[in-house]
Each structure stands twice: as C-alpha cells, then as structure tokens.
Amino acid sequence: AEGGGGRRAPFLLRALRIAVVVCLYWFTSIAMVFLNKYLLDSPSLRLDAPLFVTFFQCALTAALCLGLSVGAACGPPCAGLPTLRLDPKVSRSVLPLSAVFIGMVTSNNLCLKHVGVAFYNVGRSLTTVFNVLLSYLLLKQTTSLYALLACGVIIGGFWLGVDQEGAEGTLSWTGIFFGILASLCVSLNAIYTKKVLPVVDGSIWRLTFYNNVNACVLFFPLMVLLGEFRTLYHFDKLGSPSFWGMMTLGGVFGFAIGYVTGLQIKFTSPLTHNVSGTAKACAQTVLAVIYFEETKSFLWWTSNLMVLGGSFAYTWVKGLEMRKVQEDPSVKSGERNETGV
C-alpha cells in the first residue's frame, strides 16, 4: 500500500503540473486573440494601423528577450538563458525566415481584423493542409490516405464556413485571403525554422530575438508605404495611458505564447499540444459567440466541428503512424526521421 501511495503522489503532482501548463496555454492564447481583436478592430479605439500594432509587439518581444538575457547574467530566475548579442552576419542568415515570419504575424493579424473572433479559427484552418502540400513539394514526403481524408474534412469545413459566413452577411473576402495566407505562412515558418536553427546554435531563444529584430527593421518601410505614420499622427488616443497599457499587454501575451507553447510541448508532447490547440480553438469559438452575443446557424456550427474534427483526426492518425514507426525495429532511422519522430 505504501508503494502504491508513493507512486500516486508523483503521478498526481505530474497531472497537476500538466493541468496548470495546459490552462496557462489556453488562457494566454485566447486572451491574446481577444486583445488583438480589440487593438485591430475595436469601434471604440478606431485605430486603422495593423502593421504598427504588429511592429510594436515584435519590438516588445525583442526588448523582453534582451532584458531576460541581461537578467540571466544576474542568476535566478533567468539563469540558463543564452547571452544575446546582435551579430549582423547571423541576422542576414535569419532574414529569409524573418520575411516568412513577417508574413505570418501580419496576415494573422489582418485576418483577425477583417473576420470575427468566432470565425477566426475556421478562417485560418488550412495550416494542416499546407503542411501536407509543402511536405510533398519541398521535402518529397508522402502522406497516408487516412491523413489525406482528414485534410479533406478540414477543407470541407473551411468551405462550408465561408458559405455560411456569406449567408449571414458577415463574410469578408479580405479576411479569407489573409486567413489562407496566414495558414501558408505558418506552414512555411515551421519548415524554414528547421533550416535556420543551426545558424543560431539550435536556440529558439536566439532565433526569436533575431526574428523580431529583423521584423522591426522590415516593418518600417512597409508602414511608410501604407501611410500608417500619418494614421498614427491623427490618432486621438496616442497620448492615452490606457491605449499603451493595452498595447503593452498585447505584446506581453504575444511574447508569452511562445514560452507557454514550449512549456506545453515539454510537459506533454507535440501531438498532445496539437490536440490541446484544437480543443482551445473550440472553446475560443464558443466564448467569442457568447461574448459578442452572436447567433449562428446549425450549418455554421457544423463547419466549425468539421474543421476541429478533421484537425483532431489528422493529429490522431499521425500519432498512430509515429508510434508504429517507433515500435517497428525494421524501420530505418532515416525513415523514422521523415515521419517527424
């Protein structure tokens, strides 16, 4: 009985730790989406400068990385973080990834600006489909029939969602375009990250820093080109502490999401993280419908369930395939790497 009790305590502690990490991921991710929606498209704020909002979040992320790196030299609680120095040569090597990164964060925010939070998950749901497509085109990796069927369900859910948004009169083709672009950029970002990581000695921390510094530099000409500095000059809340408070909070959540995502993967697994992300998207959609007091049709909810169900099925199929590869001793290590294990 003692042995059982001794085993139970660590299990409970482990389960509690996982529950806390998953809740932290859910809270950070959902709060970030709602905060960004307010900053990008609030009728009370009326700020039409999506690139500036994204630029500010990138600048704050770079500053926080640098601040924590300086803190690492002083010992706990930042001990273990690498020292950050801006090396122009490394910065140039990271530049192709930074261009994809800019496309990802900008299109994500522009999608959120033009569509409702409730539809946001469906609007940018094609990441899994692009993962399969780009894996075949760039890496020559094939995908199983069951995984392709799951992708088919996601595409069906996406088109049904677009159709239902149109039927309700809330469809934004601009939002749909940026949603598809965001899905493509998220997929490309994952592929380029793997390629660029060796340049920063495999440190995600260093990569985050260089990515955001590069993004800040690249955003400047884009903001000039789109006249966002003129928009900011005429913005009536530029001197408001509450506006800058919300901007800073949005930036902190943007910085934190990378950390809590890493935590969730560390304490669970990449597959469990995907399942958690799918469940979080479901909760986010329901919360948005309640918060914005929206009424949605049965087919609209069906489209969401198709996207979520397809994403879950794809994750489940991939999980089974990876387990089979791990358990089958006849599978060569090269093939094992191809399946992502």
Side-chain angles (χ1 to χ4, degrees):
E2 270 183 9
R7 277 195 301 273
R8 197 177 297 123
F11 169 75
L12 285 172
L13 191 67
R14 205 159 58 247
L16 183 65
R17 195 183 293 151
I18 288 169
V20 168
V21 167
V22 170
C23 286
L24 190 63
Y25 168 77
W26 278 41
F27 171 75
T28 307
S29 183
I30 292 172
M32 187 181 73
V33 170
F34 276 87
L35 261 170
N36 278 349
K37 182 63 179 173
Y38 169 78
L39 291 167
L40 294 161
D41 192 39
S42 169
S44 61
L45 201 63
R46 297 190 310 278
L47 173 63
D48 188 23
L51 289 186
F52 171 70
V53 172
T54 316
F55 161 80
F56 183 85
Q57 290 176 352
C58 289
L60 192 62
T61 297
L64 286 167
C65 282
L66 199 58
L68 288 172
S69 170
V70 170
C74 308
C78 303
L81 297 178
T83 307
L84 296 176
R85 291 187 193 87
L86 196 60
D87 183 341
K89 190 181 173 186
V90 174
S91 191
R92 278 196 300 274
S93 301
V94 177
L95 205 57
L97 173 63
S98 299
V100 175
F101 173 74
I102 277 190
M104 180 179 76
V105 291
T106 304
S107 52
N108 254 326
N109 278 352
L110 285 169
C111 173
L112 186 57
K113 178 179 171 64
H114 291 284
V115 305
V117 176
F119 186 68
Y120 177 60
N121 179 55
V122 173
R124 49 183 291 282
S125 61
L126 298 179
T127 300
T128 303
V129 178
F130 280 119
N131 280 344
V132 170
L133 198 62
L134 292 174
S135 292
Y136 179 72
L137 292 174
L138 302 178
L139 308 173
K140 298 293 178 278
Q141 290 178 7
T142 53
T143 306
S144 68
L145 177 63
Y146 288 119
L148 288 173
L149 286 172
C151 288
V153 173
I154 294 170
I155 294 169
F158 173 79
W159 279 117
L160 181 60
V162 170
D163 175 68
Q164 288 306 297
E165 282 286 302
E168 291 184 4
T170 51
L171 179 66
S172 163
W173 282 109
T174 308
I176 297 299
F177 168 76
F178 283 116
I180 295 170
L181 187 61
S183 301
L184 173 62
C185 287
V186 168
S187 191
L188 278 172
N189 188 68
I191 292 169
Y192 272 96
T193 297
K194 283 180 185 174
K195 285 186 176 182
V196 172
L197 265 174
V199 177
V200 288
D201 306 319
S203 170
I204 291 288
W205 190 257
R206 279 200 182 100
L207 189 61
T208 301
F209 175 68
Y210 276 104
N211 239 345
N212 283 279
V213 168
N214 282 351
C216 289
V217 174
L218 293 171
F219 268 127
F220 253 91
L222 289 172
M223 288 192 290
V224 171
L225 202 65
L226 295 172
E228 288 204 359
F229 286 110
R230 199 184 309 116
T231 304
L232 286 167
Y233 180 76
H234 294 291
F235 181 53
D236 59 346
K237 293 183 180 65
L238 202 60
S240 164
S242 63
F243 165 68
W244 288 109
M246 293 297 274
M247 284 285 285
T248 304
L249 199 59
V252 169
F253 274 111
F255 170 77
I257 191 65
Y259 179 70
V260 294
T261 298
L263 267 186
Q264 180 165 260
I265 293 169
K266 180 184 173 183
F267 284 108
T268 59
S269 70
L271 285 174
T272 308
H273 166 67
N274 287 342
V275 173
S276 174
T278 304
K280 187 273 310 180
C282 183
Q284 183 176 290
T285 301
V286 173
L287 274 172
V289 169
I290 294 167
Y291 180 77
F292 293 107
E293 298 176 348
E294 296 170 344
T295 307
K296 300 295 182 184
S297 67
F298 172 75
L299 283 175
W300 188 92
W301 285 109
T302 304
S303 74
N304 272 268
L305 289 173
M306 284 175 72
V307 164
L308 294 167
S311 301
F312 176 78
Y314 180 85
T315 301
W316 185 59
V317 167
K318 278 296 187 187
L320 290 177
E321 288 174 5
M322 286 179 185
R323 197 172 301 141
K324 193 186 288 182
V325 169
Q326 280 178 323
E327 289 170 358
D328 191 347
S330 65
V331 176
K332 295 187 184 78
S333 61
E335 289 173 318
R336 185 174 290 136
N337 288 336
E338 276 188 13
T339 53
V341 178

